[in-house]
Amino acid sequence: MTADQLEMIDAQHLAIWRGNVEALQNGNRLVSDVLNVFFSGKSAAGAAPAAPAAAGGVGADWGDVERLVADGHVFYVSKDQTARGEHAVYEAAPDMITMTGDVVLVQGKNVTKGDKLVIDVKTNHAVLTSTAQGRNHPERVRGVFYNANSSAPAGPVQAKP
């Protein structure tokens, strides 16, 4: 991870990265204004953490990353997709990212918008939802899709009898 500033709170097993934050994992990138990194608070063997003085100071023996909470201008970039929102939570155990706040998802030339995006990082499966319901509601999930061999948006999908 990189950022302009790092604050570590040993008692909470929390690292707060601020300013131009960038986190990389397996070729995927998470960029935000602020990133809170929560650790399990256990050693690799699963034992309770030692006292800070005995463990060598702040951050020693914090264990594994459990959760990342990103705020501000949040971007998640994978090989196939780019997502933007105002808030994101990455949970390590299920390897899932949940993004909220004026979410935009781009894949190739295709662009979709909604209120909440959940991405399974392992499979890159994404589900975009909206709190708006009803056929004529302008805030429903919406998207523009392009044909593979064209620069013009694809026409409406038609059902075949």
Side-chain angles (χ1 to χ4, degrees):
M1 284 189 223
T2 63
D4 296 337
Q5 178 186 20
L6 171 61
E7 175 183 357
M8 297 176 76
I9 304 172
D10 196 47
Q12 297 176 18
H13 303 108
L14 170 63
I16 304 170
W17 299 77
R18 291 186 183 95
N20 303 303
V21 182
E22 183 175 28
L24 300 172
Q25 180 187 32
N26 300 327
N28 298 331
R29 185 167 57 123
L30 181 67
V31 177
S32 65
D33 296 334
V34 177
L35 182 66
N36 294 320
V37 182
F38 296 87
F39 292 83
S40 64
K42 296 183 179 183
S43 68
V58 174
D61 202 23
W62 278 16
D64 296 328
V65 171
E66 286 187 335
R67 184 175 77 240
L68 305 176
V69 178
D71 283 302
H73 301 90
V74 181
F75 293 87
Y76 174 73
V77 181
S78 71
K79 181 181 82 164
D80 300 322
Q81 301 171 333
T82 300
R84 175 188 60 95
E86 297 168 0
H87 179 80
V89 176
Y90 168 74
E91 296 286 344
D95 206 11
M96 302 282 276
I97 293 176
T98 302
M99 189 175 284
T100 56
D102 195 26
V103 177
V104 177
L105 177 63
V106 178
Q107 186 168 355
K109 292 181 182 179
N110 302 327
V111 179
T112 53
K113 295 181 180 184
D115 293 329
K116 180 179 176 183
L117 173 66
V118 179
I119 301 173
D120 181 323
V121 175
K122 287 179 187 153
T123 64
N124 217 23
H125 179 255
V127 176
L128 185 62
T129 59
S130 174
T131 56
Q133 301 284 319
R135 191 172 279 245
N136 294 322
H137 202 290
E139 296 301 317
R140 292 175 29 170
V141 173
R142 53 215 175 274
V144 177
F145 301 93
Y146 291 84
N147 290 325
N149 299 326
S150 172
S151 61
V157 176
Q158 297 188 10
K160 296 183 180 182

